[in-house]
Amino acid sequence: MTFEIGIFSLGEVAQDPATGARPGSRQRLRDIIEQAETAEQAGLTVMGVGENHGTDVVAASPVVLLSAIAGRTHLLRLTTAVSVLTAEDPVRLYEQITMLDNISCGRAEVIVGRGASGRVLRALGLEQEDHDALFERKLLQLLQVLKATPGTFDDRIAGGAVELDLQPRPLQPELPVWVGSAGSLPSVVRAGVLGLPLALLRTHGPFAESVPAVAAYRRALEESGQDVATPVSLNVPGFVARSAEQARELSFPYFAAGARSHGPVLADDPRWSREEYDRECAPEGSLVVGDVDEVVAKIVAQQQALGHDRLLLRMDAGGVPHRLACEAITLLGTEVAPRARAALG
């Protein structure tokens, strides 16, 4: 198997709990671009950027940031992680992703998710919507325009029957559309029924808790006549250092607040105690944090339990300083990834 290892960022702008320093938005954007360059130079294969809106984030439009990364890299797969489809116009998302695919010479992917904060939904007038039904309608429309154009679009979304010949078309014959899920049964089954790859998002708890979700996804693929080898990605926080103690000491102040959430850190987010954090970093926990040996062992154990094909690590959660994030990314690519791939065959 070819096991892919990459990184992703949610673009948060957080105050450093150790120094009190807070990077400006422009610097934070430059840091994320540089982290992607570091990832490619270290031999990693995927870079993801998540969509967030409002205070303390810089990735309101992940495709724009990924386009900047495309201009500085040559090999990385570039994916949103995730695009919040309930708050998106699927036609506009299609246009943005296909532009990225052409700019990057065929490296674009998109992970679509349902979740959006209450304040974002209120701002868009979507607070009272049935979010699950809205997500499904928009997902089907996105798949429709990817499959064929011109297409006639559902008037519940477009405001009337509209036929458009959308350009440019994707450079890839099949531009990958993943479904992001925290593991709820309806969401993983929907991905399986549609034959779409699954991006499984975990922030805490024993990773074995995700085994039933992956099994349900595989059953849905099989029962729907889809390819049972459709890939699964595991997206979790991670950090690597030269020693296990150093990895935990360096990452704890940042991950304690910033890794529990799928989104940016909020003032009232519950923090992990050090005991809780060490438990999350233990062999059965979801966090991929430790020295090279520990991280290789955790990656192998998770893959053997879940059978996923790709691992994306969020290495800058909670405002991890840029220098530390780049050092961890380099270790992940140069030392962890080759050993993990070798162990997995």
Side-chain angles (χ1 to χ4, degrees):
M1 64 174 293
T2 301
F3 187 72
E4 294 184 293
I5 300 177
I7 62 171
F8 73 106
S9 174
L10 299 183
E12 65 212 270
V13 181
Q15 184 177 32
D16 189 312
T19 68
R22 185 180 186 277
S25 295
R26 181 170 179 268
Q27 184 59 53
R28 187 72 181 96
L29 289 166
R30 290 166 63 91
D31 288 348
I32 294 170
I33 294 169
E34 187 173 326
Q35 287 169 20
E37 290 182 283
T38 301
E40 180 167 278
Q41 292 163 5
L44 299 175
T45 56
V46 188
M47 176 67 190
V49 176
E51 176 184 350
N52 282 292
H53 300 270
T55 307
D56 297 332
V57 292
V58 292
S61 178
V63 178
V64 172
L65 186 48
L66 289 168
S67 294
I69 292 169
R72 302 277 286 271
T73 59
H74 303 283
L75 300 173
L76 285 176
R77 300 293 299 175
L78 305 173
T79 184
T80 63
V82 301
S83 290
V84 183
L85 194 54
T86 47
E88 279 278 9
D89 180 322
V91 175
R92 293 294 302 276
L93 179 60
Y94 165 85
E95 292 175 322
Q96 294 166 15
I97 288 292
T98 55
M99 286 183 67
L100 174 63
D101 200 44
N102 281 266
I103 290 168
S104 66
C105 299
R107 294 185 281 142
E109 304 185 9
V110 58
I111 304 174
V112 294
R114 197 190 76 173
S117 68
R119 68 180 186 277
V120 171
L121 293 172
R122 284 192 296 273
L124 297 173
L126 299 172
E127 191 176 20
Q128 303 305 317
E129 289 273 359
D130 180 337
H131 300 147
D132 191 65
L134 180 65
F135 174 80
E136 185 162 338
R137 290 202 306 268
K138 291 187 174 187
L139 176 57
L140 293 176
Q141 184 177 358
L142 177 62
L143 297 176
Q144 177 190 357
V145 295
L146 277 166
K147 184 177 181 180
T149 190
T152 302
F153 305 124
D154 191 333
D155 61 3
R156 289 175 296 180
I157 299 172
V162 177
E163 186 174 279
L164 288 175
D165 184 6
L166 299 172
Q167 299 292 334
R169 296 296 293 166
L171 201 59
Q172 299 173 81
E174 292 189 21
L175 194 152
V177 177
W178 300 66
V179 173
S181 171
S184 72
L185 186 61
S187 65
V188 301
V189 168
R190 174 165 48 212
V193 168
L194 293 172
L196 298 177
L198 175 68
L200 192 61
L201 315 175
R202 285 202 63 84
T203 59
H204 58 279
F207 66 81
E209 292 178 349
S210 293
V211 170
V214 175
Y217 170 69
R218 297 292 186 202
R219 282 196 304 272
L221 286 170
E222 184 175 10
E223 292 170 0
S224 302
Q226 306 287 0
D227 183 359
V228 294
T230 302
V232 172
S233 173
L234 178 63
N235 299 4
V236 296
F239 191 83
V240 194
R242 283 296 175 192
S243 72
E245 181 181 4
Q246 184 184 39
R248 288 163 175 73
E249 289 294 333
L250 290 175
S251 62
F252 171 69
Y254 308 98
F255 278 33
R260 188 190 292 263
S261 169
H262 290 304
V265 181
L266 302 177
D268 58 352
D269 283 348
R271 293 181 61 86
W272 276 317
S273 68
R274 182 55 191 266
E275 182 181 359
E276 290 173 320
Y277 185 66
D278 287 343
R279 189 161 57 244
E280 296 294 339
C281 297
E284 67 277 4
S286 287
L287 300 190
V288 182
V289 174
D291 62 17
V292 171
D293 290 341
E294 281 187 323
V295 170
V296 169
K298 174 69 75 72
I299 290 173
V300 171
Q302 289 180 335
Q303 198 284 328
Q304 289 176 341
L306 301 174
H308 51 289
D309 310 272
R310 172 184 284 184
L311 173 69
L312 299 186
L313 295 183
R314 181 184 171 200
M315 306 192 80
D316 61 355
V320 170
H322 177 56
R323 177 184 61 82
L324 294 181
C326 286
E327 289 175 359
I329 290 166
T330 298
L331 278 175
L332 179 67
T334 59
E335 299 193 28
V336 171
R339 286 179 52 186
R341 292 189 185 109
L344 292 170

